Amino acid sequence: MLSYRHAFHAGNHADLFKHAVFVALLRHLLKKDKAFWCIDTHAGAAQYSLVGDWALKNAEFESGISRLWGMKVLPPLLADYVDLVRAFNHTPELRYYPGSPQLAVQLMRRKDALQLFELHSTEGDLLEKHFRGSDVKNRARVEVHKGDGFSGLLSVLPPPSRRGLVLIDPSYEDKQDYKRVATALREGVKRFATGTFMVWYPQVQRRDAAMLPDTLMNLQRTDWLHATLTVKEPAAGGLGLHGSGVFIINPPWTLPAMLKEAMPWLVKMLGQDGEAAFSLDYRMA
Ligand code: SAM
């Protein structure tokens, strides 16, 4: 049974890093007129209250989005993302946090389509409700699939226009997720070779987490980019998240330069001790 609920973690350093990169990938697709799909295999609930009990339990957002909220000058990669979070809040106070489906729908056009998968029944209901209620007039088509995102991904690929972004963002609560991510990426790229695929993974003290980026690099002959943001030294007891990474297949050529500017800045703003650091590697023809 799944027990992970993203509301406890919404807006933390890992969400911030992932969502800023996700927004940059969507922006790149929006540069062309031709329609595209965004497929989010692990969508979550789409919106989270930061004033509710769950978010306040560990107040993880305070060492994430809160640190950027009042900043007037930010590197472009972060400014774009923070503006979207601000637009979602409508108020000067930070009260709500948009998940990946909400960020996507704020950017996508009527001709585009958002395919969302969520396995947890309560999160799936919240996701469905979130999109049922909002204004649908000029919005991208949204389809919510309550089920497994790994197999679901393969069933919807490739998008009809052969343009699109796939976000694979599991909770890794099920330790098989590390293997399933690698399989989904390998099979996904076979079906949609020109697509952009983004995998998020946690920096935790587990061998399969540490090995995931190398596994993904060795799967593909295509272009890739790998970036990590570490915010603190790993905990002595081995528990907890000390950072996170994103691995991207077919990244836009503009992304390395944007990250080179934003990552040192993120280390400075989100770093919690002297071990805070970033890495950025890529192979782009
Ligand atoms: N992508 C969301 C965002 O950035 O706002 C956060 C997603 S959260 C890290 C992971 C979600 O995946 C959880 O809501 C969990 O219930 C869901 N989940 C776990 N296993 C799944 C599976 N096999 N297929 C689809 N969803 C799954």
Side-chain angles (χ1 to χ4, degrees):
M1 205 180 89
L2 295 172
S3 59
Y4 177 92
R5 304 298 296 270
H6 196 66
F8 288 105
H9 312 288
N12 70 4
H13 57 85
D15 248 8
L16 188 162
F17 174 41
K18 166 181 71 187
H19 289 150
V21 175
F22 178 61
V23 165
L25 298 179
L26 286 166
R27 282 282 182 211
H28 190 76
L29 283 162
L30 287 161
K31 282 184 187 160
K32 285 200 183 145
D33 220 34
K34 200 170 170 192
F36 69 90
W37 277 18
C38 174
I39 303 162
D40 192 343
T41 60
H42 296 71
Q47 68 163 347
Y48 305 96
S49 166
L50 298 181
V51 290
D53 290 348
W54 287 16
L56 288 172
K57 183 156 184 263
N58 298 319
E60 292 188 23
F61 63 91
E62 283 179 1
S63 49
I65 182 66
S66 291
R67 294 200 181 178
L68 268 55
W69 185 249
M71 305 285 307
K72 295 222 161 38
V73 182
L74 291 163
L77 181 101
L78 301 173
D80 195 5
Y81 149 76
V82 174
D83 280 351
L84 289 169
V85 183
R86 287 196 181 116
F88 183 60
N89 272 272
H90 302 294
T91 56
E93 306 88 50
L94 172 63
R95 296 173 62 82
Y96 298 101
Y97 189 76
S100 48
Q102 174 58 31
L103 289 166
V105 89
Q106 280 176 240
L107 288 172
M108 292 170 74
R109 306 156 299 189
R110 198 182 152 84
K111 59 187 160 194
D112 303 321
L114 183 56
Q115 299 278 355
L116 306 172
F117 293 89
E118 174 53 53
L119 188 59
H120 191 294
S121 59
T122 314
E123 296 292 276
D125 289 348
L126 291 170
L127 183 65
E128 214 169 42
K129 190 166 159 227
H130 177 74
F131 284 111
R132 203 187 301 133
S134 45
D135 176 18
V136 290
K137 243 191 293 159
N138 281 315
R139 203 185 65 186
R141 180 163 58 87
V142 180
E143 280 185 34
V144 175
H145 309 269
K146 293 179 172 177
D148 175 41
F150 291 115
S151 51
L153 170 65
L154 302 182
S155 72
V156 298
L157 287 181
S161 68
R162 301 293 195 274
R163 297 188 73 226
L165 168 63
V166 175
L167 173 63
I168 305 178
D169 179 26
S171 47
Y172 298 91
E173 179 186 3
D174 179 343
K175 300 312 165 206
Q176 291 305 314
D177 279 356
Y178 293 98
K179 278 202 187 102
R180 297 187 80 195
V181 164
T183 307
L185 196 61
R186 190 183 60 232
E187 296 303 315
V189 173
K190 272 191 207 160
R191 286 167 172 76
F192 182 31
T194 54
T196 298
F197 291 74
M198 170 175 170
V199 171
W200 177 90
Y201 71 92
Q203 284 186 328
V204 286
Q205 296 193 72
R206 279 190 61 92
R207 193 160 173 270
D208 33 15
M211 283 172 53
L212 186 66
D214 279 347
T215 307
L216 300 183
M217 266 170 231
N218 292 329
L219 282 180
Q220 314 293 339
R221 290 181 188 280
T222 42
D223 289 354
W224 56 259
L225 179 147
H226 176 224
T228 62
L229 174 66
T230 304
V231 296
K232 59 182 176 188
E233 183 183 14
L239 285 176
L241 183 76
H242 55 274
S244 60
V246 294
F247 184 84
I248 299 161
I249 295 285
N250 294 326
W253 65 271
T254 45
L255 191 60
M258 291 179 90
L259 285 169
K260 276 179 195 161
E261 188 180 356
M263 296 305 290
W265 210 93
L266 280 177
V267 171
K268 202 164 129 204
M269 294 305 295
L270 305 184
Q272 297 176 21
D273 63 28
E275 294 302 307
F278 76 93
S279 70
L280 175 62
D281 301 287
Y282 48 92
R283 183 183 70 197
M284 290 167 73

